[in-house]
């Protein structure tokens, strides 16, 4: 009897099992939405890359312009400093006395007044 019960149990177990389908290896086609999404995503990515590159080029151009302007400003500052030094030498008291002697002029301290800004 025990053997008969075991056989019946195995038969009922085999009949309740479902056979699983064999997987196939064929590609799944993309839907229209997926294709549209890929095209839009690619276009946006390309646009961002182009924008980034053009911005980088513009920044480099502006940087070169800034360096040129800074060099010109430094040159003008040096020129101004040398001009101020030359003015200070030409307006010095000793230089004024030498020029006055050269042209036969006299320098009276009573007529001289200092003006400061």
């Amino acid at each position: 009897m025990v053997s008969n019960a075991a056989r019946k149990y195995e038969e009922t177990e085999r009949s309740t099992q479902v056979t699983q389908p064999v997987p196939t290896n064929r590609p799944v086609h993309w839907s229209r939405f997926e294709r549209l999404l890929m095209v839009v995503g690619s276009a946006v990515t390309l646009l961002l890359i182009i924008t980034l590159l053009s911005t980088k080029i513009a920044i480099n151009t502006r940087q070169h312009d800034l360096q040129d302007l800074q060099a010109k400003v430094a040159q003008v500052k040096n020129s101004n400093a040398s001009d101020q030094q030359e003015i200070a030498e030409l307006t010095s008291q000793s230089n004024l006395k030498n020029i006055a002697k050269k042209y036969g002029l006299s320098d009276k301290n009573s007529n001289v007044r200092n003006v400061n800004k």
Side-chain angles (χ1 to χ4, degrees):
M1 271 199 166
V2 175
S3 62
N4 289 339
R7 285 185 196 147
K8 287 181 183 178
Y9 179 72
E10 287 176 3
E11 288 175 6
T12 58
E13 191 174 288
R14 286 182 189 163
S15 64
T16 58
Q17 288 181 352
V18 178
T19 58
Q20 295 181 351
V22 178
T24 58
N25 292 332
R26 52 182 195 150
V28 177
H29 296 289
W30 289 12
S31 67
R32 287 185 179 182
F33 177 72
E34 290 172 333
R35 288 180 189 164
L36 178 67
L37 193 61
M38 287 300 294
V39 168
V40 169
S42 299
V44 168
T45 303
L46 183 64
L47 180 68
L48 288 175
I49 289 172
I50 291 171
T51 304
L52 177 67
L53 289 177
S54 65
T55 303
K56 187 76 169 173
I57 290 170
I59 287 173
N60 286 340
T61 304
R62 298 297 177 248
Q63 189 70 24
H64 288 297
D65 292 344
L66 177 64
Q67 288 175 352
D68 291 343
L69 286 175
Q70 286 175 339
K72 288 179 183 178
V73 167
Q75 185 180 10
V76 169
K77 281 184 179 181
N78 290 338
S79 175
N80 286 346
S82 65
D83 289 345
Q84 286 175 346
Q85 185 178 2
E86 186 178 348
I87 289 170
E89 290 173 2
L90 292 175
T91 58
S92 68
Q93 196 69 13
S94 61
N95 188 37
L96 291 176
K97 285 182 182 181
N98 289 337
I99 292 173
K101 285 181 186 178
K102 180 179 176 182
Y103 291 106
L105 302 171
S106 64
D107 184 21
K108 293 184 181 178
N109 285 334
S110 61
N111 292 338
V112 175
R113 293 184 185 222
N114 290 333
V115 178
N116 294 325
K117 286 187 177 180

